Amino acid sequence: IAKEQGKNNFQWNRAGKNEQVFAHMELENDLRKALDLRQFVVYYQPQINIQTGLVFGVEALVRWLHPERGLVSPGQFIPLAEETGLIAQISEWVLREACRQARQWQVEKSQYFKVSVNLSSSQFQQINLVDKVRDILRETGLHPQYLDLEITESIAMHNIDYVVSKLTQLEHLGVHISIDDFGTGFSSLSYLKKFPIHTLKIDRSFIQDITTDPDDASIVTAIRSMARSLNLDVVVEGVETIEQLEFLRTIECDKVQGFYYCKPVPAREFERLVVAGTLKI
Ligand code: C2E
Ligand code: MG
Ligand code: MG
Ligand code: MG
């Protein structure tokens, strides 16, 4: 019986492999059409200052509303979008939509907070990136001080002079620059003094066990104190529990983002949470 099962298993796996390849191709085809079909949605996750309890920003996180698969998370399609070169158009759409929405909240509700948009490293390599950002700000009417661009440490592995020049141009536009997933890259810390950046977002992998693992607690404490002496802001990602929050409070990490406060939600849901008083601006 075991042998029989093993054999079936083997056949099933092979079928599974073909199916995977097929599903991948199908997904790629669907992704090509998704922009035209308006299947992308931007979710917003609030960032909270725990001293004041107020929302000081939101991170724009894209989702793909697939007609059959339902809500597809960026982890599942961003790599595919990078592979196929579709990332540029999708990212531009997200940037425009996030700026438009942020401006709408300002105009219609007098709610002012910054919106953070993730830049992929291939997007960062685009020569017209700065023009694109300037155009989108102009077009949507969002003042640059309310836009925060999140880049990962991995861009620091590329041509440093190029990166410094791009970031400097972005800074001259007046936008904010954050390093996302800080602490997970392999790059040298020397970029911290070369790049005109404002914020370090500490990766959530350091927060998960922060109350039980002294190493994680030390790392986060060290990043906090380094950031302070370099005059950088810190935002802590992935805060899920009151215990994590209390620890962060003791080391004066005041700016947090995580499920403890709120998951990423559609714009209308964000508005409802504000009206209900669950989120305060
Ligand atoms: P990220 O920029 O580091 O975004 C934070 C991710 O952590 C989000 O996942 C968010 O839902 C999740 N998260 C936030 N708080 C918690 C928490 O308390 N617990 C846990 N377990 N997770 C939490 P999401 O939305 O699935 O996005 C994953 C990644 O996809 C993002 O990581 C970002 O790198 C990328 N991404 C998302 N939207 C875009 C986009 O528009 N453009 C580009 N280039 N990348 C994007
Ligand atoms: Mg991010
Ligand atoms: Mg992150
Ligand atoms: Mg990430």
Side-chain angles (χ1 to χ4, degrees), residues 134-149:
R134 186 192 294 111
D135 290 349
I136 287 174
L137 287 169
R138 227 172 249 159
E139 187 188 311
T140 58
L142 187 71
H143 194 279
Q145 78 185 85
Y146 295 108
L147 177 62
D148 172 49
L149 296 176

Side-chain angles (χ1 to χ4, degrees), residues 59 118 150 180 201:
E59 178 170 5
N118 293 281
E150 294 190 3
D180 201 0
K201 291 190 76 177

